[in-house]
Amino acid sequence: MTHSTIILAAGKGTRTKTKTPKVLLEICGYTLIQRVINTALELNPDEIVIVLKHEADEIREHIEKTFSKNPNIKKIKFAIQSDIPGTAEAVKNGLSELQPDAENILVLSGDVPLISKETIQNLFDINYSPVKLLTTNYDNPFGYGRVLRENNVADKPVPVKIVEQKDATPDQLKIKEINTGIYVFNKDFLKENLENIDTNNSQGELYLTDLIELAYQNNSPAEILNLESNKSYEVEGVNDLVQLANLSKIRQIQINEMHMRCGVLITDQTRTYIEEDVQIGADTKILPDCYIMKNNKIGSNSMIGPMSYIRPNNIIGDNAKIGAYVEVKSIELGDGSKVPHLSYVGDATIGENTNIGAASIFANYDGVNKHHTTVGSNVRIGSDTVIIAPSVIEDNVYSGAGTVIKGEVPKNSLVISENRMKIKENWTKENR
Ligand code: UD1
Ligand code: CA
């Protein structure tokens, strides 16, 4: 079944109190909006319209950059919301960008990041109705729209309407079933009924949720899919930074478990931070307090940490080691090579079975540009070596402790800096 998707992301997001637009906040290396678009694309829609307003240019640029290499980028379109506030207005503005023959319309929120493809597929699959609504039950439903159902039908009471937190009576606030903000609409129903919504509510906005009451009044009440409580994190919204942190934790556990199921030895799963897009081979050990950012590839039977900072774009081989207090960025580290202690290695290619001595620094930045360093195989870099990029150190080189290397060092050589130890004997207080 073909469908079109509208993603709502025009809200101001004042509750996060951040300068960064809410949908550009990250969970494990992906922005909220990137996550929602990824999931929307997995369902293979004909098109996706993202409705923006506040910080529209910044958000649009981010999306265009993030998906620039994705062949589906041509499916992504943008709409700018008018000055009228509310989720109904946002959908109306999104609709105007859709192909005229769009039939089923999936509406997602840019701030509900962990929704899965399976749940949305299940929503598509329920009985035909002009409105399909995804709900769930929360013990603490604060902030969400509450779903009011008919109270005289025993079997399957249909939804009568949704009341927002700010408009609800004390009795309605006790309802635990909440609106997730995820719907599938028939387009004709949507077009017709969006015109019948008013701003007669405490926020003076056009609420999309009013469509549930309109559907009930039209004798075609919404069909509900109630998501089971063990999956209800999927529909939690990010309205503030506490919710962002809670969802990050949930996603981090999923990522760590995925690696463990592939044979990665994670010593303490609560103290291991691994972003999306990281490949790790089996038998590799990740010791506590490491931060592994996105786009990294780590081989098998290697060791990372404790306390290492793996920034993006590294390719680390098999049987390799990145030890304690080591930061790496954009490096290739060959099989069997080690950076065991207290070092920074950035923008470098290192061969096989090479050891970078403790506290060595690859000085890759001259204040204006970054430069690359190449180190061969079977090299022994002594402790406290500074390698100023661009440098090339060929195979089998030894460097003395405290050497400053700049330029080329030919293979099979020893490199040392003239920085000899001198001793002055009988050095007493009086000489100082
Ligand atoms: C909304 C629902 C609420 C539901 C909750 C689920 C309405 C009126 N309320 O409330 O029933 O429980 O989501 O998370 O729909 N947006 C726009 N334009 C606007 C306003 C909002 O595009 O004018 C976007 C926001 O950027 C956001 C989404 O719509 O991505 C939801 O808006 P938000 O203000 O967060 O609504 P909630 O109060 O969470
Ligand atoms: Ca929200």
Side-chain angles (χ1 to χ4, degrees), residues 13-186:
T14 46
R15 287 168 279 182
T16 62
K17 309 268 165 49
T18 54
K19 268 211 184 107
T20 309
K22 175 165 77 171
V23 295
L24 297 191
L25 295 171
E26 289 186 10
I27 289 179
C28 300
Y30 280 0
T31 60
L32 304 186
I33 192 77
Q34 180 181 5
R35 288 180 178 279
V36 178
I37 295 172
N38 276 337
T39 308
L41 284 174
E42 282 178 42
L43 289 148
N44 199 25
D46 291 334
E47 54 189 334
I48 297 179
V49 175
I50 300 161
V51 186
L52 300 174
K53 181 168 180 71
H54 295 281
E55 320 293 346
D57 291 342
E58 192 182 345
I59 298 169
R60 187 180 171 143
E61 248 168 59
H62 162 76
I63 294 169
E64 284 173 345
K65 190 168 160 224
T66 307
F67 290 89
S68 61
K69 294 201 181 90
N70 189 315
N72 285 316
I73 188 161
K74 54 185 187 301
K75 289 187 178 178
I76 301 176
K77 305 174 188 173
F78 297 90
I80 300 292
Q81 187 172 338
S82 73
D83 288 335
I84 303 166
T87 43
E89 179 68 10
V91 168
K92 208 188 283 180
N93 296 156
L95 262 184
S96 61
E97 293 297 321
L98 288 183
Q99 293 163 12
D101 56 349
E103 216 180 290
N104 296 296
I105 294 164
L106 168 66
V107 173
L108 299 173
S109 283
D111 66 345
V112 180
L114 297 189
I115 182 70
S116 73
K117 165 182 132 197
E118 291 73 22
T119 297
I120 298 173
Q121 191 57 55
N122 292 340
L123 183 64
F124 273 121
D125 291 346
I126 60 175
N127 292 342
Y128 178 78
S129 151
V131 189
K132 300 175 181 187
L133 170 67
L134 183 66
T135 71
T136 195
N137 291 38
Y138 283 138
D139 288 339
N140 177 11
F142 180 85
Y144 290 92
R146 309 299 205 281
V147 180
L148 272 61
R149 300 208 190 208
E150 261 182 351
N151 52 18
N152 51 351
V153 188
D155 191 25
K156 199 184 161 204
V158 297
V160 177
K161 63 174 181 173
I162 291 173
V163 227
E164 293 303 302
Q165 170 84 27
K166 288 183 179 149
D167 304 297
T169 65
D171 266 351
Q172 290 168 340
L173 288 177
K174 290 184 193 142
I175 296 172
K176 305 252 187 266
E177 186 177 20
I178 62 100
N179 168 31
T180 66
I182 293 170
Y183 324 76
V184 176
F185 292 106
N186 166 277

Side-chain angles (χ1 to χ4, degrees), residues 27 228 236:
I27 289 179
E228 52 269 50
E236 271 175 46

Side-chain angles (χ1 to χ4, degrees), residues 205-304:
E205 293 187 358
L206 287 173
Y207 287 169
L208 186 62
T209 45
D210 285 0
L211 290 176
I212 305 304
E213 190 173 13
L214 290 170
Y216 180 73
Q217 287 165 356
N218 289 352
N219 291 319
S220 52
E223 283 286 338
I224 286 187
L225 176 69
N226 182 259
L227 190 64
E228 52 269 50
S229 59
N230 64 340
K231 286 195 187 153
S232 61
Y233 67 85
E234 279 191 20
V235 290
E236 271 175 46
V238 173
N239 295 309
D240 62 32
L241 296 187
V242 175
Q243 288 169 316
L244 182 76
N246 290 338
L247 289 182
S248 295
K249 258 217 166 98
I250 289 172
R251 182 60 197 146
Q252 189 62 76
I253 291 171
Q254 291 175 339
I255 292 174
N256 291 356
E257 288 183 351
M258 182 267 289
H259 288 296
M260 289 188 269
R261 293 208 169 87
C262 295
V264 178
L265 297 145
I266 292 179
T267 314
D268 184 342
Q269 108 110 305
T270 62
R271 286 166 56 194
T272 301
Y273 305 89
I274 306 177
E275 293 186 343
E276 307 284 350
D277 283 336
V278 174
Q279 288 176 44
I280 309 176
D283 299 290
T284 286
K285 251 191 205 150
I286 314 283
L287 298 175
D289 299 329
C290 291
Y291 199 107
I292 304 177
M293 296 179 78
K294 64 190 159 197
N295 200 15
N296 272 298
K297 211 172 151 189
I298 300 170
S300 302
N301 203 37
S302 292
M303 180 134 131
I304 309 289

